Amino acid sequence: MNGVSGMSGVHDRTDAPDAPDVPDALDVPDVPGVLDEDRATAALTALGVRPADVLLVHASMRSLGPVEGLEGGARAVLGALRRAVGPEGTVVVPAFTPENSDTSPHYRARVRGLDAVSVDAVRASMEPYDPAVTPAPSMGALAETVRTAAGAGRSAHPQTSFAALGPGAGPLLAGHRADCHLGEDSPLARLYEADARILLLGTGYATCTAFHLGEYRMDRPPRRSYRCVVTARGVRRWWEYEDVALDDGDFAALGAAFEESAADGDVRIGRVGAAACRLVRLRPAVDFATAWLTENRAAAVR
């Protein structure tokens, strides 16, 4: 995900780009005017979201068109998501924090052209990660609305945390090891075990975080060093660690290949407001990604 946390593989943008136009696979007509919580709930249900679903959501609020409500309509969209999954369902979002890393594209862009004194000032101003209060502005309005909602939980990783609302939040977010961005000791693996679904609300496969779990499941994936600001025993410090080298540069092509070969029910396509959206089963997507990445990345270096 090109770079929220200093790695490729973590999205560094305030709102994800619109997905390419796709034909509607469901009979969800475009409704002119402002999208509200009722209309959004109906559209999500028509897309295939069901009570008790566990959803990993990526959203481009601007792609939905005008949405009724505060904060750019993010509260209304979150309300619709929670109504669609019901009291037994859980909504999960990435809550990544590139702002506390000096190995991130976000940091490199911030210090580009600055002199040494100014760079030192930037580094000194970077706040350590605190799951209770650290914002995730790069993840967009919906992710921030989930993160700050009453009852939301958040995982412990200082760069690639996830936030969640619902009865499954605790087990999904627990045990996110600080040296495992998006692998077996992260919420992505717990989402895989829970047979979660991915909801791409106006975004394309380039933003599909779950594909990164496929990178970890490749045979001997390449690794690299990362560095970020943390707090240890109440003291701010820089922490460096090694993990899989994340790269989402081919995720759009991976997603297109997956969709072309997907089994019935693995991908559903429709609209919410003005946005083309997809509802994707996470397990087959990750399984396909593991095989596709193994084959295509090996071919790329031969």
Side-chain angles (χ1 to χ4, degrees):
M1 310 187 302
N2 296 325
V4 164
S5 61
M7 55 203 98
S8 52
V10 184
H11 306 291
D12 191 6
R13 42 185 166 263
T14 56
D15 202 358
D18 294 352
D21 287 339
V22 293
D24 286 40
L26 305 171
D27 185 17
V28 183
D30 290 327
V31 180
V34 176
L35 184 70
D36 60 18
E37 187 172 318
D38 289 340
R39 286 178 172 176
T41 303
L44 290 167
T45 300
L47 182 60
V49 177
R50 297 289 181 259
D53 271 353
V54 176
L55 294 181
L56 174 60
V57 183
H58 300 271
S60 167
M61 289 300 303
R62 73 167 65 96
S63 75
L64 298 174
V67 183
E68 184 180 80
L70 300 174
E71 299 179 6
R75 287 185 183 176
V77 173
L78 176 55
L81 286 165
R82 300 204 72 188
R83 285 171 61 185
V85 301
E88 301 303 315
T90 301
V91 175
V92 185
V93 293
F96 302 158
T97 49
E99 295 81 8
N100 76 333
S101 170
D102 68 350
T103 53
S104 71
H106 181 281
Y107 172 82
R108 292 194 292 272
R110 186 177 178 189
V111 302
R112 188 174 297 123
L114 298 183
D115 59 31
V117 173
S118 298
V119 170
D120 287 344
V122 168
R123 289 173 57 82
S125 72
M126 293 166 69
E127 295 288 339
Y129 175 70
D130 181 340
V133 299
T134 300
S138 302
M139 295 294 95
L142 181 65
E144 275 293 87
T145 301
V146 173
R147 182 189 71 81
T148 57
R154 192 178 190 183
S155 69
H157 197 284
Q159 292 191 259
T160 51
S161 66
F162 289 77
L165 274 168
L172 291 168
L173 301 176
H176 194 174
R177 241 180 47 215
D179 60 351
C180 181
H181 284 288
L182 299 166
E184 303 303 333
D185 293 299
S186 81
L188 282 186
R190 308 292 79 77
L191 287 162
Y192 183 97
E193 293 163 359
D195 198 17
R197 294 200 282 180
I198 304 157
L199 178 61
L200 301 174
L201 273 177
T203 69
Y205 285 106
T207 69
C208 185
T209 304
F211 285 156
H212 286 294
L213 185 56
E215 292 184 299
Y216 282 79
R217 294 181 174 181
M218 295 167 59
D219 184 33
R220 295 191 298 275
R223 298 175 69 84
R224 56 159 288 192
S225 294
Y226 299 92
R227 189 169 50 247
C228 62
V229 186
V230 299
T231 301
R233 298 184 178 89
V235 177
R236 177 188 182 274
R237 72 177 182 91
W238 287 91
W239 178 54
E240 186 166 355
Y241 59 102
E242 185 181 275
D243 197 8
V244 168
L246 301 172
D247 180 5
D248 67 353
D250 50 4
F251 279 10
L254 164 55
F258 168 67
E259 191 164 298
E260 184 176 350
S261 64
D264 287 348
D266 284 352
V267 181
R268 293 173 65 89
I269 301 172
R271 289 193 177 271
V272 177
C277 302
R278 290 173 170 84
L279 185 66
V280 180
R281 288 189 60 217
L282 189 145
R283 276 184 187 170
V286 169
D287 292 343
F288 183 91
T290 304
W292 189 94
L293 292 167
T294 298
E295 178 180 352
N296 285 272
R297 290 189 181 175
V301 298
R302 282 201 294 266

